[in-house]
Amino acid sequence: MAKYRGEEKSGKVGKVIYSSWHGRPYQRSMPESVANPRTEAQQAHRNAFAAISKLSSDLKEAHLIGLHKMAQKEQLDTYSVFKKINKSCYIGSAISYPHVIISKGPVDEVEITSVKVDEKRVLHVTFDGGVTEKNSEDLFGLFVYCPELRKCHALQPVPRAVETVTEELPEAFIGQELHLYGFLQDDKGRTSDTIYAKLDTSSIL
């Protein structure tokens, strides 16, 4: 229903909409039809946004550290940064886990050389630290994510110079496909880019 303010109208009368823009009145006709808000492209965008939002929540322990500096620079929280930089990780109808980014930064990365789980559920990860006198105390943080359970297990960080991570996994993780995300952090809080490895524990039962 339209409202009147002196000579000015606002609202809808029949198929005519009255309004104002910067103090100047104008009117327009209602469209004959409304665009379908559930086109394939729009639905795919919604599905991608929902999936990345859930993943952002699942991996919060990781990106709260790994994306902290980037979030500070952009004056955002790390959840927003995570969703922004991981839009392209939703491919087809699923997340491409090897492409997920939990950390970005200038610190030199390490290369994971071996990943295995023994019969006692102990995870053994070795990496080439590229150790120098200046970086030997950088901390290597590793996070094990299980999509089936939507759980992320954070391992105790170790110095770069140690070049190995050993820790027991939760029992529920055994038999699942796991995705390992890691990064280095220096004494100034700066991090490396994301380091990724995949682990299939389906044969360990």
Side-chain angles (χ1 to χ4, degrees):
M1 185 173 76
K3 297 180 180 179
Y4 292 81
R5 302 186 192 93
E7 296 296 320
E8 185 181 332
K9 300 177 184 178
S10 68
K12 186 176 72 169
V13 177
K15 293 188 176 182
V16 180
I17 299 173
Y18 297 90
S19 189
S20 63
W21 176 255
H22 291 291
R24 301 183 65 178
Y26 75 92
Q27 67 185 56
R28 62 184 175 86
S29 300
M30 289 188 65
E32 292 297 324
S33 61
V34 179
N36 177 16
R38 295 182 64 84
T39 64
E40 285 188 19
Q42 288 169 322
Q43 195 59 43
H45 175 77
R46 292 189 187 98
N47 291 342
F49 181 80
I52 296 300
S53 293
K54 288 179 181 178
L55 189 63
S56 174
S57 178
D58 295 348
L59 295 176
K60 63 183 179 182
E61 284 187 86
H63 65 66
L64 282 172
I65 303 170
L67 297 176
H68 175 68
K69 290 290 186 182
M70 188 175 179
Q72 275 189 325
K73 184 177 180 180
E74 297 192 17
Q75 297 184 321
L76 296 170
D77 57 45
T78 62
Y79 292 90
S80 299
V81 172
F82 180 93
K83 286 181 274 191
K84 177 181 176 182
I85 64 178
N86 282 294
K87 289 178 181 177
S88 60
C89 292
Y90 191 82
I91 301 173
S93 60
I95 291 172
S96 176
Y97 292 105
H99 296 97
V100 171
I101 298 170
I102 62 160
S103 175
K104 286 186 74 68
V107 177
D108 290 338
E109 301 170 40
V110 300
E111 180 184 354
I112 292 178
T113 56
S114 175
V115 179
K116 62 182 180 180
V117 179
D118 64 25
E119 66 280 359
K120 295 182 179 180
R121 305 201 319 268
V122 177
L123 173 68
H124 301 268
V125 178
T126 57
F127 57 89
D128 180 358
V131 180
T132 67
E133 186 178 339
K134 292 183 178 180
N135 69 19
S136 62
E137 295 304 311
D138 290 352
L139 292 178
F140 178 56
L142 193 63
F143 302 82
V144 183
Y145 179 59
C146 178
E148 184 69 23
L149 303 174
R150 286 193 58 194
K151 298 287 186 183
C152 182
H153 179 68
L155 279 66
Q156 187 69 29
V158 299
R160 181 193 288 261
V162 172
E163 296 191 331
T164 184
V165 180
T166 304
E167 190 169 318
E168 184 177 336
L169 290 176
E171 184 175 0
F173 278 34
I174 303 304
Q176 305 288 349
E177 179 180 280
L178 306 176
H179 301 274
L180 281 59
Y181 298 101
F183 54 81
L184 275 295
Q185 185 179 36
D186 67 13
D187 59 0
K188 295 181 177 64
R190 299 175 301 184
T191 60
S192 71
D193 288 345
T194 305
I195 302 154
Y196 172 81
K198 182 179 177 181
L199 176 62
D200 186 355
T201 65
S202 60
S203 61
I204 308 169
L205 294 172

